[in-house]
Amino acid sequence: MAPVRAFCGPIIHALSSSELEIVASGAVVVDSEGCILQLLRHVDPNDPLGSIAAAMPPAPPDGPPTPITVHQLRPGRFLIPGFVDTHNHAPQWEQRGLGQGMHILDWLDAVTFPNEARFADPSHARRAYASCIDGFLRQGVTMASYYGSLHGEATNILADLCLEKGQRAFVGKCNMSRNSPAYYRDASIQDSLDVTEACIAHIRKIDPEGKLVKHVLTPRFAISCDNEVLQGLGEIAKRNPDLPIQTHFNEAEQEMKATKELFPEFESEVDLYEHFGLFGKRSILAHCCYMTEYELRRFEELRCGVAHCPASNMTVGGGFMAAPVREFMRRGIKVGLGTDSGGGYSSSMLDAMRLAIVASNAREVMSDGKDKGLSIAEVFYLATLGGAEVCCLEDKIGNFAAGKAFDAIVVGTAGVDQGVMTMVGEEDGLSTILEKFVMTGDDRNIIEVYVQGRLVKG
């Protein structure tokens, strides 16, 4: 019998946007392929092996019992699902914190495009992307939806490194055929599409089943793409129904005005992207700060997902923008969290959770109390299962349901694990400890990280 591992101790995960499950003493049983066999909710801490063995299927009459390795969490530690970053510009890892307060298009010209142009050098791309992936894994990001640069070779390097280091990822070559400097623009419309096709082929070659890494079609935003590029990407999407799609949507007033001027025939970006075949269940739309009733209804009908990026929404773009996350959730629109890397100042999903609460509190005031602020349980959902749903990966990751991959974080809160997190008292229950971790913890409390059962930090 193939051996299994059992991770025993307190377990916290989201079952839905409104239901957080807290297991005081349980176990996640994982097979040799890194998939969850079962979640046990009642494990005797004094005899975990006995509890687990009793719950396992009986061994064949003529065979030995299944070998079980028990990983007992130390006191003060608990297990949560890995974080899902639904919107991340990998080249911007090295420009985080620069240009805060600038309007979005000015920030792109002054800070972002010069930085991303450096990824024409493969050696630079390898150094920067290795640091980026390592940094996100240290912070518990087990799945990221990455925008690459426009360079095909650098995008392939990013995919190679994700696979090598064990991070689950969507990796996309950025399509940019216009409205950027001549030094940072696709060579031609056809080249933009040809390089995209080559990147798709490369990623399928290195991970044929898409077990960890997939290409994601990535028109940077409509401003950056000629009609022919958007049309070509739509045709690629139609031929490849397994590929996700990502772009920006109603990020800032300056961006929205420029889009309207370039595409006057469309009343909304919904109509624009839908016209080109880039809008639907597979679409991950970043920001969505300003939404009309029509757009909300079409998001709901087409089942697309929202990547909410509170750090960048409140610091880059030209104002304090609080996206209507409560309204998304009320309507059943998929929504998760994104760090936005350089667009914000923090690469931490814990910071994204905190800032989502701050933005939602502002939204509550702006809506005269209609849109209530988000709870700890809700932002935890957005960072885990909600993000998985946005990426159409809810059948594979996001919580500890049987059959999913074991993407997980071991959180430490006591002794040498405490760092600068709020002290945990003897009287604190797990819900209080989770709140303290979400609001005051950092990467020092993230002790171990697993992706598909593989230890990638710890």
Side-chain angles (χ1 to χ4, degrees):
M1 298 289 288
V4 302
R5 290 172 291 166
F7 295 81
C8 304
I11 298 165
I12 304 174
H13 68 156
L15 300 179
S16 69
S17 61
S18 60
E19 188 176 2
L20 191 68
E21 182 174 39
I22 297 177
V23 178
S25 180
V28 180
V29 184
V30 182
D31 69 14
S32 59
E33 298 297 316
C35 294
I36 298 169
L37 291 172
Q38 54 184 320
L39 169 61
L40 305 179
R41 293 172 171 83
H42 302 285
V43 170
D44 183 349
N46 297 314
D47 183 21
L49 183 57
S51 298
I52 296 159
M56 293 294 292
D62 57 345
T66 301
I68 301 170
T69 301
V70 173
H71 295 261
Q72 183 70 51
L73 272 58
R74 295 181 192 173
R77 293 184 176 182
F78 59 93
L79 195 68
I80 62 173
F83 296 139
V84 180
D85 188 343
T86 61
H87 183 69
N88 189 312
H89 290 268
Q92 296 175 19
W93 170 256
E94 58 182 347
Q95 71 176 70
R96 288 168 296 149
L98 301 182
Q100 301 296 288
M102 296 179 71
H103 283 263
I104 184 66
L105 300 184
D106 304 320
W107 173 79
L108 288 170
D109 286 335
V111 179
T112 301
F113 291 155
N115 171 62
E116 291 191 11
R118 300 172 66 200
F119 286 76
D121 177 0
S123 61
H124 175 78
R126 186 170 297 279
R127 287 194 304 272
Y129 285 154
S131 175
C132 170
I133 296 164
D134 288 342
F136 281 108
L137 287 174
R138 281 197 298 269
Q139 297 177 95
V141 175
T142 55
M143 162 65 198
S145 189
Y146 284 127
Y147 287 58
S149 65
L150 62 76
H151 311 101
E153 186 173 1
T155 302
N156 291 344
I157 288 169
L158 175 57
D160 292 342
L161 288 169
C162 287
L163 193 61
E164 175 187 320
K165 293 176 178 293
Q167 186 180 44
R168 193 180 304 280
F170 292 163
V171 175
K173 171 255 184 294
C174 236
N175 296 98
M176 301 171 56
S177 61
R178 65 173 174 174
N179 289 321
S180 58
Y183 66 81
Y184 190 54
R185 188 184 304 170
D186 288 321
S188 67
I189 289 169
Q190 192 58 49
D191 182 74
S192 183
L193 298 172
D194 288 346
V195 174
T196 299
E197 296 266 28
C199 288
I200 294 169
H202 175 81
I203 293 175
R204 284 185 171 150
K205 180 179 178 180
I206 63 171
D207 191 0
E209 298 178 6
K211 193 170 184 179
L212 273 190
V213 183
K214 270 193 170 187
H215 187 88
V216 52
L217 297 173
T218 308
R220 186 178 201 114
F221 51 10
I223 296 170
S224 289
C225 296
D226 289 278
N227 288 39
E228 295 86 351
V229 169
L230 294 173
Q231 184 69 41
L233 290 174
E235 291 169 0
I236 294 172
K238 186 176 181 179
R239 295 196 305 270
N240 298 272
D242 61 312
L243 295 184
I245 304 159
Q246 63 182 0
T247 191
H248 299 76
F249 188 95
N250 288 8
E251 178 176 2
E253 290 180 340
Q254 187 185 39
E255 171 263 331
M256 294 167 65
K257 181 181 177 182
T259 302
K260 184 66 177 174
E261 290 171 352
L262 286 169
F263 297 92
E265 67 271 31
F266 298 108
E267 285 299 315
S268 165
E269 286 188 43
V270 168
D271 301 326
L272 189 164
Y273 289 120
E274 188 176 7
H275 172 80
F276 290 111
L278 297 169
F279 211 85
K281 180 182 178 181
R282 295 180 282 156
S283 303
I284 304 169
L285 289 312
H287 304 293
C288 306
C289 296
Y290 303 95
M291 301 293 293
T292 65
E293 173 60 31
Y294 170 73
E295 289 166 341
L296 287 165
R297 188 171 70 252
R298 293 301 286 150
F299 269 51
E300 186 176 353
E301 291 167 350
L302 296 169
R303 298 186 297 160
C304 57
V306 174
H308 176 44
C309 306
S312 55
N313 291 352
M314 295 189 288
T315 54
V316 170
F320 185 103
M321 295 169 289
V325 176
R326 175 62 66 194
E327 184 64 18
F328 294 143
M329 295 174 73
R330 184 183 295 122
R331 291 172 179 254
I333 296 169
K334 299 182 297 183
V335 58
L337 294 179
T339 62
D340 201 13
S341 205
Y345 57 86
S346 172
S347 59
S348 166
M349 285 294 288
L350 288 169
D351 278 347
M353 284 188 262
R354 295 163 194 155
L355 291 168
I357 291 175
V358 172
S360 72
N361 290 341
R363 187 82 194 184
E364 182 171 346
V365 174
M366 293 161 59
S367 67
D368 293 325
K370 176 189 173 186
D371 293 338
K372 298 298 182 184
L374 299 171
S375 68
I376 293 291
E378 286 172 326
V379 296
F380 180 80
Y381 156 79
L382 295 178
T384 55
L385 182 58
E389 291 169 348
V390 167
C391 297
C392 297
L393 293 174
E394 68 273 16
D395 61 331
K396 295 182 178 179
I397 59 172
N399 62 17
F400 296 128
K404 294 190 179 185
F406 184 67
D407 289 12
I409 298 168
V410 175
V411 178
T413 65
V416 295
D417 295 343
Q418 182 186 334
V420 296
M421 179 183 147
T422 302
M423 291 177 62
V424 173
E426 291 183 3
E427 72 284 358
D428 287 342
L430 280 172
S431 61
T432 299
I433 296 171
L434 177 66
E435 183 173 6
K436 289 183 175 181
F437 167 63
V438 168
M439 295 307 297
T440 68
D442 59 26
D443 59 290
R444 287 168 290 188
N445 304 109
I446 295 174
I447 309 304
E448 294 176 350
V449 180
Y450 294 85
V451 179
Q452 196 73 42
R454 173 185 170 184
L455 182 67
V456 293
K457 175 188 176 177

